[in-house]
Amino acid sequence: MVRKLRVVIAKPGLDGHDRGAKIIARALRDAGMEVIYTGLHQTPEQIVETAIQEDADAIGISILSGAHMTLVPRIVALLREADADDVLVVVGGTIPDEDADDLKRDGVAEVFGPGASTGDIVEFLRGSLTAA
């Protein structure tokens, strides 16, 4: 039997809006993935520790606070430090295009902006994780 893809969905920092994260978590679950939702106000350290403890294939970060250029690179750096940089990182939220490009250069696999379809996110994760 093939193991289900495991995805941590995380809300870092002070952002208290989690509706989108819950919608994505539900869509991934409905697509057959195992989802671990961290809840609100997680630190980068907590997110990375959860991903390692849960043997996650990917971390989906939902961020609307504007702190994406501080929090997301810290998560990527912590994964590298923990020798867990094989964990795919995707980000969703209100992120300007130029910041999305910088995040991708820093190691984020994809950035999904407002209006991204859950189907596109599911397919991106499936394609990226099954190819690895």
Side-chain angles (χ1 to χ4, degrees):
M1 183 166 130
V2 175
R3 179 175 81 84
K4 287 184 176 184
L5 297 175
R6 295 174 62 89
V7 182
V8 169
I9 299 295
K11 290 291 298 179
L14 300 177
D15 183 2
H17 185 300
D18 65 349
R19 183 174 181 203
K22 288 179 178 177
I23 289 169
I24 298 304
R26 193 168 299 120
L28 298 179
R29 182 204 61 200
D30 291 350
M33 297 180 199
E34 188 170 341
V35 178
I36 301 96
Y37 176 61
T38 64
L40 294 170
H41 310 301
Q42 299 295 297
T43 66
E45 291 79 8
Q46 289 170 317
I47 293 166
V48 169
E49 184 64 29
T50 299
I52 291 168
Q53 287 180 358
E54 295 290 344
D55 193 24
D57 299 299
I59 299 172
I61 301 166
S62 171
I63 189 162
L64 301 168
S65 67
H68 52 273
M69 294 306 292
T70 301
L71 296 170
V72 175
R74 178 76 179 137
I75 291 166
V76 172
L78 288 167
L79 286 168
R80 286 186 185 125
E81 289 172 21
D83 199 27
D85 52 348
D86 60 329
V87 176
L88 188 80
V89 177
V90 296
V91 179
T94 51
I95 298 171
D97 291 340
E98 58 273 9
D99 289 353
D101 292 339
D102 288 342
L103 291 172
K104 288 179 185 178
R105 277 191 288 278
D106 285 345
V108 170
E110 189 58 83
V111 177
F112 296 96
S117 80
T118 56
D120 288 346
I121 296 167
V122 166
E123 290 309 311
F124 179 83
L125 288 171
R126 277 192 182 140
S128 298
L129 294 172
T130 56

